[in-house]
Amino acid sequence: MNVLVWLTAILFILMIVIGGKKGARSFLSLFINFGVLFITIFLMTNPKNSPILLTLIACTVISWISLFYINQISSKTVTAFISTMITIIILLLFIVWITDKSMLRGFGEESTEEISIFSLYIGINFVQISASVIIMSTIGAILDVAISIATSMHEILHHNPSISKKKLFTSGMSIGRDILGTDTNTLFFAFFGGYLSLLIWFKDLSYSIDEIINSKVFSTELMMIFCAGIGIALIIPITASVNAYYLIRKREKTENLS
């Protein structure tokens, strides 16, 4: 427990020293977002509640906290929020369809010991739970890409007020392409880092490559990585188009008023 307290204190001090007031808000937002996730998980245990609807509500609250509470309300955060919500809705519908078609539901033999303590009549839709897990795992990366592109496009328009909508959109896409590779790899290693012990377990049990690839746990993990990558790819053109439309329209209104 003392180690956790020290780590929390070190993180808090570093965020205050480096980020100032915004760092303090970022630190506090970690605990607020944790509370949102905890409440969402608690509500999902009730079979009457839809995991998909709960996930959408949770993502909306997390996006609001991460954008408006930390960075305050501005044109950049508003466009990033709109882009994030459009992407989340599209990705959520796509993932629900994919998880249903892939037939990756229930538990694999690797989870035999863990599920022995649970009631098998709980009534929860694990297909929708899988979709929720993927969305929750990617929301941070999606928000990061959205605010990065929105901020960059606002700066481009500020330094080049006469830029056309097409060139502004192209600039946003160019920025997004640079982010795409690094963020996709970040998600890849984050997912597989969490399952490193599982890969070691596969090796100790002398699983063949075919058995590993066809195992339910491994296939689900790969699906999460691919869906997360799709989410990162989707947010780039959506954010670029939303910002290009908003910024050029705002500029035209300003010119008409003057």
Side-chain angles (χ1 to χ4, degrees), residues 43-235:
L43 292 174
M44 282 183 182
T45 58
N46 187 344
K48 295 181 180 179
N49 296 327
S50 170
I52 300 301
L53 180 60
L54 289 173
T55 301
L56 184 59
I57 295 172
C59 287
T60 303
V61 175
I62 291 171
S63 299
W64 190 93
I65 293 169
S66 301
L67 291 172
F68 299 136
Y69 176 69
I70 297 175
N71 299 293
Q72 300 180 338
I73 298 176
S74 65
S75 57
K76 292 181 291 187
T77 53
V78 169
T79 53
F81 180 79
I82 294 172
S83 304
T84 299
M85 296 313 302
I86 293 172
T87 305
I88 289 296
I89 292 171
I90 295 173
L91 190 60
L92 198 55
L93 295 173
F94 175 75
I95 291 173
V96 170
W97 180 76
I98 285 293
T99 50
D100 183 59
K101 291 297 181 182
S102 63
M103 305 295 288
L104 286 176
R105 60 192 71 186
F107 299 93
E109 60 183 10
E110 298 83 8
S111 307
T112 304
E113 294 183 5
E114 287 83 352
I115 65 173
S116 62
I117 63 173
F118 297 119
S119 170
L120 299 180
Y121 301 98
I122 191 170
I124 294 176
N125 188 330
F126 282 97
V127 174
Q128 294 186 3
I129 292 292
S130 299
S132 299
V133 170
I134 297 172
I135 291 293
M136 290 295 187
S137 301
T138 57
I139 181 66
I142 289 173
L143 284 168
D144 178 53
V145 175
I147 192 63
S148 297
I149 295 176
T151 301
S152 300
M153 291 180 71
H154 276 70
E155 287 297 318
I156 290 170
L157 185 67
H158 176 72
H159 292 288
N160 187 8
S162 60
I163 191 172
S164 66
K165 183 189 291 187
K166 183 178 179 180
K167 287 185 177 180
L168 185 60
F169 173 78
T170 304
S171 298
M173 289 294 294
S174 179
I175 295 164
R177 290 189 190 101
D178 292 335
I179 300 173
L180 179 62
T182 53
D183 271 36
T184 304
N185 277 283
T186 299
L187 288 171
F188 175 83
F189 289 113
F191 277 119
F192 263 112
Y195 277 81
L196 185 60
S197 58
L198 177 65
L199 296 176
I200 296 172
W201 186 70
F202 280 150
K203 179 181 178 298
D204 290 340
L205 292 179
S206 301
Y207 271 41
S208 66
I209 297 297
D210 291 341
E211 289 173 325
I212 293 175
I213 293 175
N214 287 290
S215 70
K216 187 169 291 187
V217 175
F218 187 81
S219 299
T220 303
E221 191 66 17
L222 278 180
M223 184 181 295
M224 285 186 177
I225 294 171
F226 292 145
C227 289
I230 290 170
I232 297 299
L234 277 176
I235 190 66

Side-chain angles (χ1 to χ4, degrees), residues 12-29 69-72:
F12 177 71
I13 292 170
L14 286 174
M15 293 183 78
I16 291 293
V17 172
I18 297 173
K21 292 182 179 179
K22 185 175 287 188
R25 289 196 296 268
S26 299
F27 182 81
L28 183 59
S29 70
Y69 176 69
I70 297 175
N71 299 293
Q72 300 180 338

